[in-house]
Amino acid sequence: VALKRMLNFNVPPVKNSTGEPVWKVLIYDRFGQDIISPLLSVKELRDMGITLHLLLHSDRDAIPDVPAVYFVMPTEENIDRMCQDLRNQLYESYYLNFISAISRSKLEDIANAAIGANAVTQVAKVFDQYLNFITLEDDMFVLCNQNKELVSYRAINRPDITDTEMETIMDTIVDSLFCFFVTLGAIPIIRCSRGTAAEMVAVKLDKKLRENLRDARNSLFTGDTLGAGQFSFQRPLLVLVDRNIDLATPLHHTWTYQALVHDVLDFHLNRVNLEESTGTENTPAGARPKKKNKKSYDLTTSDKFWQKHKGSPFPEVAESVQQELESYRAQEDEVKRLKSIMGIEGEDEGAISMLSDNTAKLTSAVSSLPELLEKKRLIDLHTNVATAVLEHIKSRKLDVYFEYEEKIMSKSTLDKSLLDMISDPD
């Protein structure tokens, strides 16, 4: 909702307006790209009037008669590049949206550049969007993707970490959490364990929330912000836990579809990248091996099969793909059968009465075609993804691995000792 509002020049989109959207260009940096890509497809962007979406630091041509919506982090390089765009008079008007709050000094840099380029009237709006987090599912968010190794478990627990580095990590985490609650329009009750990094984050976040609430006129949680009116006593609970409390879970590999895709394939921001294995047969001897095709698929909330089966054990998923395929083939055969009846020769009475029955059936079959095609696309997608997972399972004997792991966790007796297993070359 917040993104759609931003792409509509920070005005909430009107439900029943049938008018054409205003055509505009979207300029983002890598951070903005990561936030938008799991949520809005290219088609949805186009429906909202985005004709072009470009990276800020790519070579862009001037498009003098369109408005540009910027969605970037307020970093030095980004600000410099935006000032350069103003000087080069690239677009008709500029809507500057910052993923997290921009500092006063950087805002002044932009103002100076706008004055210098005589483009003050063209800077239409400047907004802090507070969207510095990535939404992967309706109820799952991650804080960062770019530079994620900088705020990782390892980064926090490095023995040689300096205080300033630790501060930076904490500030990054706090900023993202703060953005999340601003977008949610709610002030959380914070609980954390003492004496850990979690406590540092909690204290900083608490301070930031209090500072924001102190200034009632400019508070992000009251007034006409996105989540206004939700400022109630039903406050969400934010539990901050240090990873050290439970180190076993990340080492446990589950047997479900989503977990396997994440563990063995290149799965990133709801998108899985596969290399298609090209068949080795009918390649003449000595020929150069065929280049592998790379394919990427989006596994999003709109994918019904994924939603239904991502938590299922892998063998069940394979069966479900098979069932979907059979039901699809049955529907396809029905359409073919109706088509062949439609091509009836001769004018006998029976044929004509059959024709009128089948016309109705064919009409309904044709109207279900887009659904059928979508079904076919999903079946192909999951067949490919499941096959890729299966290849990994076979080549690495992951089924045996999973079985042993479960046995160790449930403390049942193993048929051979752990050391024997580890030293077994197979």
Side-chain angles (χ1 to χ4, degrees), residues 87-292:
R87 284 187 216 103
N88 297 346
Q89 305 268 330
L90 285 189
Y91 308 107
E92 178 189 51
S93 55
Y94 301 84
Y95 292 80
L96 310 179
N97 299 283
F98 296 101
I99 296 172
S100 61
I102 181 172
S103 66
R104 175 81 205 202
S105 61
K106 287 179 180 156
L107 204 52
E108 285 170 2
D109 293 346
I110 296 181
N112 287 334
I115 293 166
N118 205 358
V120 177
T121 49
Q122 289 167 295
V123 179
K125 288 181 183 174
V126 180
F127 265 83
D128 287 334
Q129 286 295 344
Y130 293 102
L131 290 176
N132 191 10
F133 58 92
I134 296 169
T135 310
L136 294 180
E137 289 169 26
D138 290 348
D139 43 17
M140 181 166 118
F141 310 89
V142 290
L143 295 190
C144 73
N145 175 42
Q146 297 292 326
N147 325 340
K148 63 176 172 221
E149 59 285 345
L150 295 182
V151 290
S152 62
Y153 175 78
R154 178 179 171 273
I156 296 176
N157 290 284
R158 274 199 350 253
D160 58 340
I161 186 165
T162 62
D163 285 358
T164 47
E165 284 176 313
M166 193 67 168
E167 285 287 318
T168 313
I169 294 174
M170 295 298 127
D171 287 341
T172 312
I173 296 173
V174 168
D175 182 59
S176 291
L177 285 172
F178 182 71
C179 289
F180 175 74
F181 284 107
V182 171
T183 307
L184 202 64
I187 308 261
I189 294 166
I190 307 175
R191 290 277 174 270
C192 65
S193 43
R194 288 194 175 277
T196 57
E199 189 182 17
M200 288 176 73
V201 172
V203 171
K204 276 179 178 285
L205 182 61
D206 176 65
K207 188 170 162 227
K208 194 161 182 167
L209 287 165
R210 282 176 198 283
E211 278 172 5
N212 189 267
L213 286 172
R214 196 172 297 134
D215 178 4
R217 281 176 322 187
N218 293 330
S219 171
L220 294 159
F221 295 96
T222 52
D224 61 343
T225 53
L226 202 62
Q230 297 175 357
F231 188 66
S232 67
F233 294 102
Q234 294 292 318
R235 289 165 58 188
L237 176 66
L238 171 66
V239 182
L240 292 165
V241 185
D242 199 299
R243 182 77 266 178
N244 286 341
I245 284 180
D246 173 23
L247 273 176
T249 310
L251 301 173
H252 177 218
H253 300 84
T254 40
W255 193 230
T256 56
Y257 190 27
Q258 189 176 23
L260 277 168
V261 169
H262 186 269
D263 281 341
V264 302
L265 302 178
D266 174 11
F267 183 55
H268 201 57
L269 296 182
N270 291 348
R271 169 169 290 186
V272 60
N273 295 309
L274 298 179
E275 275 195 354
E276 285 199 318
S277 51
T278 45
T280 46
E281 67 277 359
N282 61 34
T283 319
R288 189 178 294 168
K290 281 185 185 161
K291 206 172 175 191
K292 288 190 172 180

Side-chain angles (χ1 to χ4, degrees), residues 67-79:
V69 176
Y70 283 75
F71 184 51
V72 294
M73 276 295 219
T75 59
E76 284 292 334
E77 310 94 302
N78 286 353
I79 303 282

Side-chain angles (χ1 to χ4, degrees), residues 24-25 27 51-52 54 56 58-68 70 81 84-94 122:
K24 46 197 171 279
V25 182
I27 312 290
T51 47
L52 270 178
L54 306 160
L56 178 68
S58 58
D59 293 329
R60 290 174 280 117
D61 298 327
I63 312 174
D65 46 359
V66 296
Y70 283 75
R81 187 61 193 257
Q84 196 181 320
D85 287 357
L86 288 171
R87 284 187 216 103
N88 297 346
Q89 305 268 330
L90 285 189
Y91 308 107
E92 178 189 51
S93 55
Y94 301 84
Q122 289 167 295

Side-chain angles (χ1 to χ4, degrees), residues 269-338:
L269 296 182
N270 291 348
R271 169 169 290 186
V272 60
N273 295 309
L274 298 179
E275 275 195 354
E276 285 199 318
S277 51
T278 45
T280 46
E281 67 277 359
N282 61 34
T283 319
R288 189 178 294 168
K290 281 185 185 161
K291 206 172 175 191
K292 288 190 172 180
N293 290 339
K294 277 199 158 78
K295 281 215 159 166
S296 64
Y297 301 109
D298 289 318
L299 300 172
T300 56
T301 41
S302 58
D303 181 337
K304 303 251 180 14
F305 187 89
W306 177 247
Q307 285 306 89
K308 192 173 166 193
H309 295 291
K310 63 185 178 191
S312 313
F314 189 70
E316 274 180 33
V317 174
E319 279 172 35
S320 307
V321 172
Q322 194 54 40
Q323 284 164 5
E324 291 277 314
L325 190 59
E326 279 159 18
S327 84
Y328 166 76
R329 284 196 177 134
Q331 278 175 290
E332 197 182 39
D333 291 345
E334 176 66 3
V335 174
K336 281 184 184 157
R337 195 179 65 78
L338 288 169

